[in-house]
Structure formats: structure tokens, C-alpha cells
Amino acid sequence: MESKLGFDRVRKMIADRCSTEYAATRVEQEQFSTDPAEISRRLALTDEMRLIVMFEETFPASGYIDCIHFLEVLEADGANIDLLSLGKLRTMLDTLRKVTLFFGGIKDGVYPHLKRMTRHLELYPEVSRSIDAILDKFGNVKDTASDVLYDIRKSLKDKEGAISKRMAAILRKAQQDGIVESDAAVSVRDGKMLIPVNTSQKRKLPGFVYDESATGKTTFVQPAEIVELENEISELHFAETREIFHILSTFSDFVRPYVPGLLQGAICLGELDFLMAKAQTALDFIAGMPILSREGEMNLRKARHPLLEKALRREGKEIVPLTVTLTPAKHILLISGPNAGGKSVCLKTVGLLQYMFQWGMLIPTSETSEMPVFDRICVDIGDGQSIDNDLSTYSSFLDSMKHILETADSKTLVLIDEFGSGTEPAAGGAIAEALLSELDRRGVYGVITTHYTNLKLYASAGDNGVVNGAMQFDAARIEPLFRLEMGLPGNSFAFELARKMGLPEDIIRDAESRAGEEFVGIERNLRKIARNRRALDEKLQHIRKTDQTLENITGKYQKELEGIKKMRGEILAQARREAEEIVRGANRQVENTIRTIKEQQAEKEATREARQGLQEFMGALSARKEQEQKTREDYVEGKLRKLEERQARRSERKAKRASEQEKAELERQEAERRREEAFRSAPLKVGEKVRVKESGLVGEVAKVSNKAVTVIIGNISSKMPLDRVERITSNEYRSAVKETARKAVISTVQDASIQERKLNFKPEIDVRGERVSDALEIVMHYVDDAIMLSMPSVRIVHGKGTGALREEIQKYLRTMPGIASVKDEHIRYGGTGVTIVTFE
């Protein structure tokens, strides 16, 4: 089932990110869960680790080492730890310390599940101190690891220094005696110090002949008195090895009581490595944690198939998100539509995300999505025909349905692709409808794809638990839109696709007539319904947007109207006060004018001045009214300007949201790059897996210094610069080892085959009596075998005769690559009747 849904590829992607064998094994062994509490726990742990990987730089990203195996061995009395395992143990303890410090510095309530998982970790400082007393920072045993070791190594240095001095003295004397060239120097071969002596003079220097030069003119001699010193050094090396074994044995006895706790720590680090692999894969999928539904509702919102999205992303394309809702009332989704329209992708997306969810993996959907828990998922996808089991496509389908019906209930999710196809349509449709009715009666949840019209009509009845779903199709451009529309049956668009593919029109019309008016009418009505539904949805969407806009505008204007009414009341009150003041002022002015005229007895000059004053007063009053009018106009313009600014801010926010989405995707890619870079560039530690960049060989780190690293590749230990290796995951290491073993087996088989052919190969072939064409073919295969088996030369016996066969064979041989010479045999051994072929 996992392979049909694609989960096997998801499982492999997670395993490839594991650093330890423990974590990779956990990925392989973790099973689909039906316990809601267990699913919630797995999801919470993964989600918390996802947040840590995204935001916490102090959490250790490397240093997760496999220590469980040698710790389990160390539990037994008499078992001893080796030097490489001791280095691994130090790395593990250092990682444990960093993990403990990290969670110790986190506030309560932050990452609660992970904090609970790591709360029992112990650091064992005494064990760390003991290891630090034995190993230096590069993983070598310190001289001060014990007093005995210190004395041995001191003696070694003294002896090695004495050898160097003594060799220099012997070389000088040999040069003075003329035994050795004046410019000769001490040579070191296989760890032995040798003096290069002229072969003719080798007996004049007492010692042992160790080697000779390729020309034989120089002999490398180990002086006799140096042999004794080297024997002493060898004894000291043996003593050093024994003392290191004693130190490790003593440490093993010391650490054995702590092994149960150390095992728990190693298991905890393996679990963290497992969770980190899941979290990093979730980040790659842009996945989140959905809500666990207790009411049996499945609400997938903006769901994406992670594998398809990854493939489309490489091609620079966008995936179309999927929204699906299943409830106890409508629990089966029947998807129909054109071929290659996305029906199977929808089905597999629902199945894969449900399986990932119950496996404990975050899924690529909106985090408001709701997922129920099923006891089982039954899948019938692809052609299940089998020659071995004598099953046709339809027989396989019926066999699958039989097994599904044995266990199907309301806690079952069934996924069936091309429901009922593979047999005569009328009978197949009837059986499919009967099966669908039974699954509906049992309350089974399901996603089913089909082309059968009777099933679409069954789902359209409305009195059952089946709901139609249509894959949308652009009828104008004759291409699928890959969008699911729930509530409507889909159309196959078979005739439209036939026209697009260029099938002759008369054949298509004939097919439509053969299909019958009823079928064509149903299809036409389905298309009409789909078009009307889409148009209606667009109108409804437009109406909703308009209503929302009107509500916003109405609310805004209502507030503004209330403000205007309030301001109007204030303005009117102010106007009344001002009018009263104006009237009072006008009355006073008129009274003053009348009084002045009376007092001046209506003199013309006085009357004119009074009238002028009254006109000035009226002019000031008019100017004041104009100023008030301008103030009101400025208020309206200000309101309009604010409305325009608000609209501009809305547009800016919309553009900003789009920019933020793009920025979030770039940040995700950058975070992925940083995680990968951090993994590759973090300092190497003993026990980690690496790959040699030039050769591709993989191995395990045994020692690390500032400039070099010692890597164990197979049974060979090799020291090389740090920049020649790169860190790899445990799964990459296992894959490379398996591939190397496979190639070795093939090479062994090939070597055995070549060896067998070499034993049976004869250095001479006789083609006398053959026709020229046959002889040339025999010679061609014979020479090919000789070259492959690295033969130095061969003899071809063809006889003298007229000389035609000899001439053709030699002419052909001179055109073949890999041949150094072609010549006749010596007269005593056959002359021109035999050709000698020598290879390069």
C-alpha cells in the first residue's frame, strides 16, 4: 500500500536525512498508528523540532553518533572498549551536554514534549573527565594517560633519537670509506632506516640487505648495530600497545556501572536525530500540524501532494492546492472528469496525507485542516492483473473489493481509482453501483474516481452519503484546470478531446450518434450544469465581494454620517450663537447709526458716514460667511483625500502581502540552504560518516586534527586534509557501502570468469583449411580474448599454400588496435606458415 500511495518515497527521504543507524532504523520500523493520543504525541514532537530547526541556532545540529552497539557489548563483564569507540563516546557525551544545556535554558511551556522527553538525561561528568584524561583533542592517547605509558613513550623518543644520530654517523663513515656516494642520504622503506650502497660494495658494510633499486646498481642495507636498536624500539611499541589496552580495560571497568544510563542517553540522541530528519523533511514540504478531528470530519484545506509539488518546483511550475471535505453525513467523494484531469492525483493526495498524518508526519496543508483517525486504509489503485495468479484486470478489482468488504466499516478509508472499469460497461456499472451502495450503507469513508454515469446519478440523488466531485476543465481551450469542485459531477469531454487530437469530424459525429441521444444529452446537461454552476459561483463570489464592499462602505459612511450629523449640530449651534451675536451687533450698529443721525440732526455728512459704517459692517459679515463656506469645502476635500489615501494603503498592503509570501518562500529556501551548509561545514567529530570528494569512497572518522582527518575506509585507515572529505548522513553511508559491495561481487564474478578463460586459453590457434571470411572471424575473436586476458603474444597457424590467407590475416591484424607487431615465425618454426602477433 505504501508504494501505491507514494509513502515509501517519503519514508526514504526522511531516512536519507538521518545521521545515525538508530534513527534510520526507526524510520523503517515506525508504523501507521490508529491511536489518537499516540498520533498527537508524534505530531507534537515533530512540530516542536520543526520550530527548533527553524529558529534555535544553539541547538546542536551535528554530533549524533551511533554508540548503542558498543555500549551494549560493554555491559558484559570482561568486555573492553576500543580507541575508536572511546572517541565516539566522547562525542556523544558532548552532544548530550549541549542538548541538556539547551532545554535547561528554555522557559517552561516552550517545547514541552521535547523537554519532557529529555528531562531524565544525565551528563556523567566523571566519565567525561576520565575520557579527557586519556584522549587529546585529536582522539590520540595522551602520554600522561598513565605513568607507565609516559615512561614507555619517553624511552621511545630517546631510542628513535639515538637511531637517527647513529645512522648519521654510520653514513658519514661509509662516505669517507668510499662505500657510499658522497651525496647519498638515509632512505626509509617500510618504516626501516636504510643506507644506499653501491651493489659492488655492499659486503663492506656489515648489515642486512633489505632491498635493491630497479636497475640493481644500488643496494639498501640496514646496518647491523641499528637492527638491535630497532628491536628495542619494536619491544617498546609492543609495550605501548599493551599499556594502551590496559588503560582501555581499566576505563571499561570504571564506566561499566554507567552503561545503562549511557545507553538511555544514546537512545535519546537517536530519537532526536529521528525527529530532526522528520522536521527537516517537513520544512522541505512546507508542512504543518493539522487539527485532530474527534467528530469524524475530514477538512483538507489547501492540501498539496508533497512529491508532485517537489517535482513541479524543479520545473518552475506551481501546484494547484486541493480542498476536500468529508463528514459523517457525506463521507464518500465520487470524483469524475476527463482523463489526465487530476482525479488520481486528488485521490492519492488524500490517501498519502492521511497516511502521513497517522504515521506521525506533518502534512502540507493549511494548519486549520482537520483530520480524523481511521483504523485502516484500503487502496485499489493501478492495474492489478497477474499472470502468476491468473488474474485479469477486472478479476483483480473484484478480488480487491472482496477483501475490502471483509473489514470495511465507519472507521475505514477506501481509495479506489477507476471504480468498476475493466469489463462490459453495463454490467461493470451495475456492480460498481451495488458496491458503492454497500460502502455507503456501512458508513465507510472514501475517495473514488470513475467515469460511470450511473454512479454520478446515484451521488446526485441527495439521499445518501455520497457527494459528487468534478475536475474542472476549460472547454474553450480543451485543457484541464486540475481544480476539484465538490457538489457537481464531472464530464469526460471525450468528444472534445477527440476533436482536439485531430480525429476526423465525421468519425466523431458517428461516435456521438452511436453513443445515443440520451448519453450525449446527459453529457451535454452535465456540461451545461458545470458552466452554469461556474457562472453562478462567479456571480455569487462577485456578489459576496460587492456585499462586503458595500458593508464596508456603508459602515464607513454611517460613521462619517454620524460624525457629520454631530458636526452639523455643533455648526448649527455655533451658527445660532454667532447669528444671535451678529443680530445683537447689527441692532447695536443700527441704533448707534440712528442715534448719530438724530444727534447730528440729519446732516448730510454725518448721515453718509453713518451709512458707510453700516455698509462696512455688512461687508465684514459677508466676508465671514465666505470664510465659513471655504472651511466647509476644505473639510470635504480633506475627506476625499483621506479616502484616496486609504485606498492607496489598501493596495500597498495587498502588494506587501504578495511580497511577504515571496519573501517567505525565499526565506524557506535560504533556511534549507543554511541547514545543509551547517550540516556539511560543522567541525567533524570522531565516529561521523564522511565521503572522499575525489574518489567518492565513504568511511568513518577515526581522528581529527586542525588540518587533517583520519578516515577508516573498509579495513584501511587513511589520513588526508580536511577539505578532501565531506560529511554525509548514515543512510548515504549505508547506500554507498551497499553499492561498493555490489560492485565488488560483480568484479569478483568477472575476475573468476576471466581467470577461468585464462586457464583455458591456448597461445596458438590453427585456421588451416578455413575460408578467408571464416578464418578472419575466428582470428578476430581469438585476438580480442588475448587482449582481454593480457596475453603478451600469440601464434596463428594458417599454412603456406598460395599465401592468400596469410596476406589477408596479416593485413587485418595490422588494422586492429592494441597490437604492437605482426610478423612471420622464424624459418625453423614454420616461417611464412605461421604469424606471430605481439600485443602492446
Side-chain angles (χ1 to χ4, degrees):
M1 180 177 66
E2 288 191 2
S3 60
K4 289 185 176 181
L5 293 176
F7 185 76
D8 56 331
R9 293 169 60 192
V10 175
R11 195 188 285 269
K12 185 179 184 304
M13 291 170 72
I14 299 171
D16 287 343
R17 293 180 179 272
C18 295
S19 297
T20 63
E21 289 286 340
Y22 176 89
T25 303
R26 283 281 285 112
V27 175
E28 292 175 3
Q29 295 178 349
E30 189 83 325
Q31 296 298 316
F32 176 90
S33 175
T34 58
D35 180 5
E38 174 62 15
I39 293 169
S40 297
R41 186 189 71 83
R42 293 181 186 181
L43 291 172
L45 286 169
T46 306
D47 194 51
E48 288 178 9
M49 183 58 76
R50 177 179 67 96
L51 296 175
I52 286 176
V53 172
M54 286 176 68
F55 302 116
E56 304 290 353
E57 295 182 358
T58 57
F59 189 80
S62 60
Y64 297 89
I65 304 295
D66 285 303
C67 296
I68 295 174
H69 177 69
F70 72 78
L71 285 173
E72 288 175 341
V73 173
L74 199 57
E75 278 189 299
D77 290 337
N80 291 326
I81 195 168
D82 58 48
L83 203 55
L84 179 60
S85 298
L86 186 63
K88 288 183 179 181
L89 183 59
R90 180 164 68 174
T91 301
M92 186 197 88
L93 288 170
D94 183 55
T95 307
L96 277 176
R97 180 183 60 80
K98 291 177 181 177
V99 169
T100 305
L101 288 176
F102 173 81
F103 285 110
I106 294 295
K107 295 179 181 178
D108 291 339
V110 181
Y111 312 132
H113 294 83
L114 285 173
K115 199 167 185 179
R116 194 178 306 117
M117 188 180 87
T118 58
R119 66 186 172 186
H120 297 302
L121 287 178
E122 296 185 32
L123 296 182
Y124 304 103
E126 288 299 323
V127 176
S128 296
R129 277 194 287 271
S130 297
I131 296 174
D132 290 338
I134 296 172
L135 299 180
D136 61 18
K137 63 179 181 179
F138 303 126
N140 298 312
V141 178
K142 292 180 178 179
D143 294 350
T144 55
S146 74
D147 294 339
V148 174
L149 185 63
Y150 180 83
D151 292 339
I152 290 171
R153 288 186 172 173
K154 186 174 183 301
S155 299
L156 270 172
K157 289 176 183 176
D158 294 341
K159 296 290 183 183
E160 287 168 352
I163 284 181
S164 297
K165 291 177 182 177
R166 188 59 195 145
M167 281 294 290
I170 294 171
L171 179 64
R172 282 195 302 272
K173 187 174 186 312
Q175 288 171 336
Q176 292 170 0
D177 294 343
I179 301 172
V180 178
E181 298 289 340
S182 58
D183 58 347
V186 174
S187 177
V188 178
R189 297 198 175 189
D190 298 330
K192 297 184 180 295
M193 301 180 74
L194 309 170
I195 293 178
V197 182
N198 292 330
T199 301
S200 59
Q201 305 283 336
K202 65 182 179 182
R203 297 191 182 279
K204 295 183 179 179
L205 181 65
F208 300 92
V209 173
Y210 191 81
D211 199 0
E212 260 190 4
S213 65
T215 60
K217 294 180 179 179
T218 304
T219 300
F220 295 92
V221 177
Q222 184 180 27
E225 55 187 296
I226 297 299
V227 173
E228 185 61 31
L229 287 173
E230 287 203 339
N231 288 339
E232 293 177 10
I233 288 175
S234 296
E235 290 177 3
L236 287 171
H237 279 304
F238 292 142
E240 179 188 30
T241 302
R242 287 194 298 271
E243 181 57 23
I244 290 174
F245 179 80
H246 174 70
I247 292 169
L248 294 176
S249 178
T250 303
F251 174 82
S252 299
D253 293 337
F254 160 75
V255 82
R256 191 165 287 113
Y258 299 103
V259 167
L262 291 171
L263 269 171
Q264 291 302 314
I267 291 170
C268 184
L269 286 186
E271 285 291 330
L272 290 174
D273 183 32
F274 168 59
L275 291 172
M276 283 181 68
K278 288 173 66 178
Q280 288 165 352
T281 307
L283 286 172
D284 190 37
F285 289 164
I286 318 178
M289 185 169 74
I291 300 165
L292 194 150
S293 173
R294 305 285 180 177
E295 288 76 33
E297 292 191 1
M298 176 189 286
N299 290 308
L300 278 174
R301 299 182 176 93
K302 297 181 180 179
R304 310 178 314 278
H305 194 291
L307 304 177
L308 177 61
E309 183 177 32
K310 200 173 179 66
L312 290 175
R313 197 185 300 159
R314 286 195 295 267
E315 298 174 9
K317 298 178 183 177
E318 292 290 330
I319 195 170
V320 179
L322 171 71
T323 296
V324 173
T325 300
L326 296 178
T327 66
K330 290 291 183 182
H331 46 88
I332 297 178
L333 173 61
L334 186 75
I335 305 177
S336 51
N339 288 320
K343 300 190 300 296
S344 297
V345 170
C346 288
L347 179 145
K348 289 182 179 180
T349 300
V350 173
L352 176 59
L353 297 194
Q354 183 68 43
Y355 198 96
M356 289 171 63
F357 170 74
Q358 292 193 230
W359 190 80
M361 183 65 187
L362 305 181
I363 59 176
T365 66
S366 166
E367 293 194 353
T368 59
S369 295
E370 297 179 77
M371 303 289 283
V373 176
F374 296 105
D375 288 344
R376 66 195 65 82
I377 298 177
C378 301
V379 179
D380 183 61
I381 299 174
D383 186 355
Q385 65 178 318
S386 171
I387 295 175
D388 295 336
N389 297 325
D390 194 23
L391 288 176
S392 66
T393 300
Y394 193 67
S395 298
S396 171
F397 164 74
L398 294 176
D399 185 61
S400 178
M401 292 304 101
K402 183 188 73 172
H403 287 99
I404 288 175
L405 290 173
E406 287 173 358
T407 56
D409 56 19
S410 61
K411 298 293 287 181
T412 302
L413 174 66
V414 299
L415 305 166
I416 306 174
D417 196 21
E418 299 296 344
F419 192 36
S421 63
T423 189
E424 193 273 322
I431 292 174
E433 187 172 347
L435 287 168
L436 181 61
S437 176
E438 177 61 17
L439 294 174
D440 178 23
R441 186 187 67 77
R442 296 188 186 189
V444 175
Y445 284 68
V447 179
I448 299 172
T449 70
T450 188
H451 287 287
Y452 284 136
T453 302
N454 64 311
L455 299 184
K456 303 177 197 177
L457 294 174
Y458 177 90
S460 300
D463 57 352
N464 52 55
V466 185
V467 60
N468 270 310
M471 298 310 300
Q472 293 185 7
F473 192 84
D474 190 333
R477 292 187 293 179
I478 315 296
E479 62 182 32
L481 298 175
F482 303 108
R483 286 199 296 267
L484 174 67
E485 186 173 16
M486 293 191 65
L488 279 180
N491 189 327
S492 66
F493 290 94
F495 299 127
E496 287 78 358
L497 287 169
R499 285 189 175 92
K500 182 182 180 182
M501 298 305 295
L503 211 62
E505 183 63 29
D506 55 341
I507 293 178
I508 296 173
R509 282 198 297 269
D510 184 35
E512 288 177 334
S513 65
R514 290 174 184 275
E517 185 59 35
E518 182 181 356
F519 173 80
V520 175
I522 290 172
E523 290 289 300
R524 189 180 296 118
N525 287 333
L526 286 174
R527 286 200 299 275
K528 186 175 180 181
I529 290 170
R531 280 197 301 269
N532 291 341
R533 175 62 183 270
R534 193 173 300 115
L536 181 61
D537 284 347
E538 289 174 359
K539 286 181 181 178
L540 286 173
Q541 187 68 19
H542 178 70
I543 290 169
R544 288 193 195 98
K545 288 183 180 178
T546 305
D547 286 347
Q548 185 65 37
T549 304
L550 285 173
E551 282 182 20
N552 293 339
I553 292 173
T554 302
K556 178 185 67 178
Y557 284 161
Q558 185 67 33
K559 289 181 182 177
E560 290 185 359
L561 183 60
E562 290 174 359
I564 289 170
K565 285 181 179 178
K566 184 178 179 182
M567 185 176 288
R568 178 176 173 275
E570 291 174 355
I571 289 172
L572 287 174
Q574 180 67 24
R576 288 192 194 96
R577 288 193 297 271
E578 290 178 355
E580 290 171 358
E581 183 63 31
I582 289 169
V583 169
R584 285 194 295 271
N587 288 336
R588 284 195 299 270
Q589 185 67 27
V590 171
E591 289 173 0
N592 289 337
T593 301
I594 293 171
R595 188 169 56 250
T596 300
I597 292 172
K598 286 180 178 180
E599 288 175 356
Q600 297 298 329
Q601 296 177 356
E603 292 182 4
K604 288 182 179 179
E605 186 63 30
T607 301
R608 187 167 55 253
E609 289 178 359
R611 284 177 179 171
Q612 185 177 353
L614 186 58
Q615 288 173 354
E616 288 176 355
F617 175 77
M618 295 302 292
L621 186 61
S622 176
R624 186 169 180 178
K625 287 181 179 178
E626 289 177 359
Q627 180 64 35
E628 288 175 355
Q629 178 67 23
K630 187 174 184 302
T631 301
R632 283 194 292 273
E633 289 175 357
D634 289 345
Y635 170 77
V636 173
E637 288 178 2
K639 282 289 182 183
L640 289 172
R641 191 163 52 252
K642 285 181 180 178
L643 286 173
E644 291 172 354
E645 290 173 356
R646 202 173 300 158
Q647 184 63 33
R649 282 198 298 272
R650 253 191 231 108
S651 299
E652 286 177 6
R653 281 197 299 271
K654 187 175 180 181
K656 186 178 180 182
R657 276 197 300 271
S659 174
E660 285 174 351
Q661 289 175 354
E662 184 178 351
K663 183 180 178 183
E665 174 62 18
L666 292 174
E667 286 177 350
R668 186 197 66 78
Q669 294 175 1
E670 178 63 20
E672 179 68 22
R673 187 192 62 78
R674 283 201 305 269
R675 285 196 305 273
E676 184 68 20
E677 187 176 299
F679 176 75
R680 299 294 182 192
S681 61
L684 289 173
K685 296 180 180 178
V686 173
E688 290 188 319
K689 309 296 190 295
V690 292
R691 180 192 292 115
V692 181
K693 294 177 182 178
E694 295 173 1
S695 63
L697 295 173
V698 297
E700 191 173 6
V701 176
K703 296 178 183 178
V704 184
S705 65
N706 292 332
K707 295 181 180 179
V709 58
T710 301
V711 181
I712 298 175
I713 302 172
N715 296 323
I716 300 172
S717 178
S718 178
K719 188 174 182 181
M720 59 191 73
L722 283 168
D723 58 2
R724 284 186 59 195
V725 300
E726 60 181 355
R727 181 188 281 106
I728 59 173
T729 65
S730 178
N731 217 46
E732 288 176 309
Y733 174 79
R734 285 193 301 170
S735 299
V737 170
K738 287 179 182 176
E739 181 63 19
T740 303
R742 186 184 68 82
K743 289 180 179 177
V745 170
I746 293 172
S747 176
T748 302
V749 172
Q750 290 176 340
D751 289 346
S753 175
I754 291 172
Q755 186 65 24
E756 183 180 355
R757 292 172 69 179
K758 196 166 187 176
L759 289 172
N760 295 327
F761 185 82
K762 296 179 180 179
E764 180 179 291
I765 188 172
D766 191 342
V767 293
R768 286 177 295 185
E770 299 286 347
R771 289 182 297 180
V772 172
S773 59
D774 295 338
L776 288 177
E777 186 172 356
I778 293 170
V779 167
M780 178 184 69
H781 291 301
Y782 178 71
V783 169
D784 284 344
D785 286 348
I787 292 173
M788 185 181 69
L789 298 173
S790 302
M791 302 300 292
S793 64
V794 293
R795 299 175 83 245
I796 300 174
V797 179
H798 42 67
K800 296 180 180 179
T802 61
L805 185 56
R806 165 185 171 277
E807 185 178 349
E808 289 298 325
I809 288 175
Q810 291 192 358
K811 187 190 297 182
Y812 173 73
L813 288 170
R814 289 189 176 95
T815 64
M816 292 185 70
I819 294 178
S821 67
V822 178
K823 61 183 180 180
D824 293 333
E825 177 62 281
H826 191 275
I827 190 67
R828 288 186 296 175
Y829 303 111
T832 57
V834 179
T835 296
I836 303 297
V837 183
T838 306
F839 300 105
E840 292 177 352

